[in-house]
Amino acid sequence: MAPVDFILNGNPTRIDPRPGETLLEMLRTRCGIISAKDGCQPQGQCGCCLVLVDGNPKVSCAVPATAAAGHEVTTLEGIPEEDKRLIARCFVATAGLQCGFCIPGIALRAWHLVQKNPSPTRDDIARSIDGHLCRCTGYVKIVDAIELLAKSRRDGTPVSTVQNGGVGARLDRYQGAEYVLGEQRFVDDINLPGMLHGALVLSPHARARVVRIDTSRAMAHPGVVTVATAADVPGKRWYGLLYDDWPGFIAAGEEARCVGDVIAAVAAVDEATARAAASLVEVEYEVLRPVLDPEEAMTAAAPRVNPQHENVLSYTRIVRGNVDAALASSAHVVRGTWRTQRVEQLFLEPESTVAEALPDGRIRVYSGGQGVFDDRRQIASFLGMRSEDVVVEQVSSGGAFGGKEDMANQAQTALLAKLTGKPVKVTLTREESIRIHPKRHPVTLEYTAGCDAAGKLTAVKARLVGDSGAYASVGGKVLERAAGHACGAYHVPNVAIDAYGVYTNNPPSGAMRGFGANQAQFAMEGCIDLLAKKAGIDPWEMRWSNALDVGSTFTTGQVLTKSVGLKKTLLAVRPAYEEAKARGRAVGVACGVKNSGIGNGARELGRARLVVEKDGTISIYNGFSEIGQGLLTVLIQMAVEVTGLPARLFRPKVDTTFALDCGQTTGSRATLLGGRAVVDGAEKLRADLRRVVLNSDQMDGASDADARLHIALQALRGRAYDGEVVISDTTPLPSPDDAARPGSPVKTHTAFGFATQLVMLDEQGRLERVVAAHDVGRAINPAFCEGQIEGAVHMGLGYALSEELPCPDGMPATFKLMEIGVLRATDTPQIDVILIEEAEPEGPFGAKGLGEIGLVPTAGAVAAALEAFDGVRRMTLPMKDSPAARALRAGHIPASKLALERQAGLPAAAPVVARSAATADRTIR
């Protein structure tokens, strides 16, 4: 091809692109640009790759590299330094970022907007960023940031940030400016000397026996260094978080169990070569009828999906009282079947891993996952190495929401590095990402609930069946959690819950924000509304009379003794509820509860180590991952609160350098446990600082406080202060056989978050306003608390109305971001957050987790508002038939995709044989 000559950030540039190369690829791989991110190439639907071409915004992943010829391309790196710093201050000051992956593209869009329109309204701003997706923030604080940017540019309003502060301060996000400007590196931004690039070969079939794998053509392709298959794995090929039931490669002779199964991995001189070679791997498949329905999978006639476990992955039973008798004597009884859908986490950063073989024989892995110690354990087993010989470092993660708990490509990348002796990077495409990682469980929920004439709940009987897909992940725990939250935020004296997690040949289901609690509570909130209608009681009053309080019994049988702020959240939304009714608006209200800490008998740890470094800074090592929630900043604030030292001295880190293994960032527990561990270590540091100050002769000559602080820290350099908390007093749920037998006191969870949300519709039935009142225990950083809730509400609205990932034959029906259904900025209504602080005595400074509770009540509140609008009680998610959903831009999947049957599905005619360059299929019925 002819060279492409263009101007890049003011500099004449000449590049020789390969055929088919996009502008984004050229900028990132050949020009060293990292502010433009790849979130969906080549769809052009997330906005992470935004650049300016001749001053006009363009999504560079959808622009051919050759189209840049003769034009001027500007990236965020190329705008004036003063403008960049102002943009960063505005986003940091308003807490307008979380994981940060999408923000550089939005920041460049903001700069372009305020140049063209110095006084944009909030609606103008929302329209301008409508081509961008943010999965974390709910857009509220992004709009705040751009509004502040315009005002500051327009009238010189100074932008102040909070650079120091302890508990309760709105402290700036740690490294926030670097994230805004695209200077903070994510895994795919890492480039090591001599690095190779990898690509995976995935099964195109939901169920098929792999007859033959031929890698010879791929190995012969110029630029290929190695091709790995199951035969090359030196250790244990099967891994997993709870069960070792997930193979890193499918071997010849074995069944592929879902469309995300890895058959081979290629390492080559660049990604394009690796992907070209991957297409040359020849695989012959004997295609089998997949098991896609969990009810079918539970029958005796169903084939076994996974050889490591029977098809019923888990069964949870909770029994209290006499449900049948209570229902028989109830004044009002309602019954129904609710159904929730499979949902894609759609974190903006597709999974990427870099691994390198170190000179001493160890392997170093750079991961964006949610648990570096779980990654290390599984990678070491896969490679046949000791855990201490695998070093895993968490690199900035562009969102996760549970979807990065399981390994995606870490094991295969580490193997390629071990085989080649060179650094290797493997980055998934958006399609590969969606096919591989676990999703939110689709669950069918059959409920019967009763109340007395006054509206007091008498009993709940429920059967829940969740589709866990081909691999366990944490699916059994999700259904256990759903069962444990089946009565929602209400006191119910008689309970009988049965919950099943089931293997199928669908994509795996595992952790996603809410972890089963939101599925169960969508059904329970529906029961509350139906009972209120039968009893002639206002929905808010129905909830008030049954709300959990101190002394109430939770679904699991745990009697609540502390930190139950649910009624305060109900009172907080009541004025808006009454106002909406007075205005004639359709309004719905729903409550929610979510555990903080895994509980259910698990021994949970929080570990931290504070190290005084030679330069006078203090490293905070901890075992929990930063995935956008602001954990590292919150840990700094707790250390500041305890020690009195300035925030600028602390440097939080997450890696496996020290033995700080405390499990995944999951269960809304990182602040609860990580915070207590940091407090423990910080108290020891504070004691030594006081001793040094009191006993050092050098203090007499110190001129000021900074000098004294320097002397004290120099005296302690090299010292480490370990903090640890152990929670071992929670009780497991009884086994199904023992569920009905009374036993010792029950404490299934350490703490709980509580919430009430209100959803109001406009005259056309469109989303107008959400009020979210949340008991957070203690708001360590109020701005972060608000942002977490705003983002969770945004996700909950999508869950209610537009998001789904149907897999009609085991393959996702769509990979397009708009069709998957995440709400855009103009789709998102006004969200008002009310923080309630009901201190949790087992949490640091009274705090408890809130990362998940934010979307637990949302779907129930939306369903109630829709029924108030048109009289229809909707019991299946997403509620796409509603006026609220029809008004959204996102979530419209063509019917042709939903009806599509591929060969991997259910062939309607005789078996067929299909052959291509890469596969040979024999489909059998």
Side-chain angles (χ1 to χ4, degrees), residues 342-343 439-442 509 512-513 518-519 799 855:
R342 179 181 296 103
V343 177
K439 313 284 176 270
R440 186 187 298 287
H441 280 72
S509 297
M512 187 174 176
R513 195 181 216 167
N518 43 320
Q519 289 99 315
Y799 180 53
L855 58 61

Side-chain angles (χ1 to χ4, degrees), residues 564-598:
V564 185
L566 179 59
K567 286 196 168 182
K568 290 183 179 180
T569 68
L570 271 162
L571 289 172
V573 306
R574 188 169 191 177
Y577 179 74
E578 298 293 349
E579 178 192 357
K581 290 176 65 179
R583 293 174 56 202
R585 285 285 197 262
V587 63
V589 66
C591 296
V593 59
K594 179 66 177 66
N595 60 293
S596 182
I598 293 174

Side-chain angles (χ1 to χ4, degrees), residues 33 37-38 75 167 196 227 358 644 869 889:
I33 297 298
K37 309 294 186 186
D38 183 359
T75 70
V167 171
L196 303 175
V227 180
L358 301 177
F869 180 79
R889 289 186 59 213

Side-chain angles (χ1 to χ4, degrees), residues 39 81 87 162 254 389 607 683 697 737 767 773 818 821 832 869 883 887 922:
E81 191 66 25
I87 292 168
V162 181
E254 294 180 349
D389 291 334
R607 288 174 171 155
E683 287 173 344
D697 294 336
D737 292 338
L767 294 171
M818 284 294 291
D832 299 319
F869 180 79
R922 292 182 296 166

